[in-house]
Amino acid sequence: MARIFVYGTLKRGQPNHFRMLDKSIGEAHLLASAITMEKFPLVIAGEYNIPFLLNLPSLGHRVHGELYRVDEQMLSFLDDFENTPTMYQRTPLTLAVEEWLGQGKDEEEMSAVGDVTEAFVYSTTTYKPEWVSLPHYKSYDSCGPHGLEYVRYRDT
Ligand code: PCA
């Protein structure tokens, strides 16, 4: 088991969320909505309008996303899907929980709102230098006012 913070296309309502629901590739269980403790530049880059959290703490904003518990099978699917470690690297991150969303009072992770917790995130240090000057977002939405809708580029 591992915990993953997703901030991009894997969030609910975003174009790759269906992968988190696909039991044939593993289990993902939504635990909470959360925000990064540190600021990071969240940009939308490249010809496919892909969201990237640049691993450059203190620039940008605290970024909103969702915290999941995933099994080993889903984790290895996601590592592969996110092209780790070439495009993204999976790194540990500190988060402030906004709202616990898991069901059942026995969730071992659940406690008071405002909790500080740790999870993995797919961020990147292997970005083009000019990406730092792209607009920085607080919360990713593929269909946001930026007009940079995510382009699906593979069938997997
Ligand atoms: N997928 C991962 C990283 C960026 C993306 O689109 C996520 O949603 O967190």
Side-chain angles (χ1 to χ4, degrees):
M1 291 292 181
R3 284 155 31 122
I4 290 274
F5 173 73
V6 307
Y7 60 85
T9 62
L10 293 171
K11 288 191 301 187
R12 291 179 299 175
Q14 299 302 319
N16 286 315
H17 182 67
F18 70 95
R19 299 172 197 281
M20 306 290 277
L21 306 174
D22 183 350
K23 304 286 179 207
S24 73
I25 56 176
E27 292 280 339
H29 180 72
L30 177 63
L31 295 175
S33 58
I35 183 170
T36 61
M37 285 298 282
E38 288 186 282
K39 295 177 178 179
F40 292 94
L42 166 56
V43 302
I44 300 176
E47 61 179 310
Y48 303 111
N49 295 333
I50 297 176
F52 289 94
L53 195 76
L54 309 185
N55 200 340
L56 202 57
S58 82
L59 257 190
H61 303 282
R62 294 179 70 187
V63 170
H64 291 269
E66 296 173 349
L67 176 66
Y68 288 82
R69 185 176 60 225
V70 296
D71 66 8
E72 293 304 317
Q73 197 193 348
M74 180 61 81
L75 188 63
S76 90
F77 169 82
L78 291 174
D79 281 353
D80 196 42
F81 178 67
E82 300 299 357
N83 208 342
T84 307
T86 311
M87 194 158 97
Y88 296 91
Q89 300 82 45
R90 178 158 55 80
T91 53
L93 177 76
T94 308
L95 300 167
V97 168
E98 295 180 304
E99 188 184 358
W100 290 101
L101 300 169
Q103 272 137 35
K105 293 193 181 97
D106 57 351
E107 282 287 358
E108 72 275 17
E109 293 91 351
M110 267 205 204
S111 48
V113 171
D115 272 358
V116 173
T117 191
E118 301 269 321
F120 286 117
V121 67
Y122 293 102
S123 64
T124 186
T125 50
T126 52
Y127 54 85
K128 295 187 181 161
E130 60 266 28
W131 289 7
V132 179
S133 357
L134 292 169
H136 300 161
Y137 302 96
K138 291 179 177 167
S139 182
Y140 174 75
D141 180 4
S142 170
C143 294
H146 46 68
L148 300 169
E149 190 173 349
Y150 175 73
V151 180
R152 179 158 291 121
Y153 64 102
R154 51 185 168 179
D155 302 327
T156 52

